Amino acid sequence: VQLQASGGGSVQAGGSLRLSCGASGGDFAINAFAWYRQAPGKKRELVAVITPTSSTNYADPVKGRFTISRDNAKNMVYLQMNSLKPEDTAVYYCNADGTEGGSHYFEKWGQGTEVTISS
């Protein structure tokens, strides 16, 4: 299973970006999708998570501004980011866990997409 993320870029504070991430490769079933981010000099942190039934949870700094969603038919996850702030600047990574081949657990990371917010 591979994850491919896209949608990063550079915007001014107050702007919006939408990140996408797709899973592909073989016989698999995704359980939860998540987005993480890692700012320069900081540890990677959880941004948002979405379960198979689309229950969501968000880190406090992004609550009310970011929305995670998924398309199970396409094995896609999205992160709509509104009212962006300079402190949202980071490399964003998608993450997925699930089963491959019916029984083998996996956890995969996408390659990261860079988000830069200027003040």
Side-chain angles (χ1 to χ4, degrees), residues 57-95:
N57 198 19
Y58 297 91
D60 285 343
V62 308
K63 282 181 180 177
R65 300 188 298 121
F66 290 12
T67 302
I68 188 171
S69 61
R70 64 191 287 168
D71 184 331
N72 290 331
K74 296 180 180 179
N75 291 310
M76 296 285 297
V77 63
Y78 307 96
L79 187 68
Q80 178 65 45
M81 305 186 295
N82 299 328
S83 302
L84 283 160
K85 304 176 180 180
E87 50 265 42
D88 295 319
T89 294
V91 177
Y92 284 71
Y93 298 90
C94 60
N95 171 279

Side-chain angles (χ1 to χ4, degrees), residues 31-116:
N31 179 30
F33 276 113
W35 286 97
Y36 287 74
R37 66 185 182 186
Q38 187 167 16
K42 295 188 176 181
K43 293 182 179 179
R44 191 173 297 188
E45 62 178 4
L46 177 66
V47 175
V49 62
I50 186 166
T51 70
T53 57
S54 294
S55 293
T56 58
N57 198 19
Y58 297 91
D60 285 343
V62 308
K63 282 181 180 177
R65 300 188 298 121
F66 290 12
T67 302
I68 188 171
S69 61
R70 64 191 287 168
D71 184 331
N72 290 331
K74 296 180 180 179
N75 291 310
M76 296 285 297
V77 63
Y78 307 96
L79 187 68
Q80 178 65 45
M81 305 186 295
N82 299 328
S83 302
L84 283 160
K85 304 176 180 180
E87 50 265 42
D88 295 319
T89 294
V91 177
Y92 284 71
Y93 298 90
C94 60
N95 171 279
D97 72 276
T99 54
E100 193 169 15
S103 61
H104 299 286
Y105 174 80
F106 70 84
E107 182 181 8
K108 299 287 185 179
W109 292 88
Q111 83 283 11
T113 184
E114 192 162 356
V115 171
T116 303

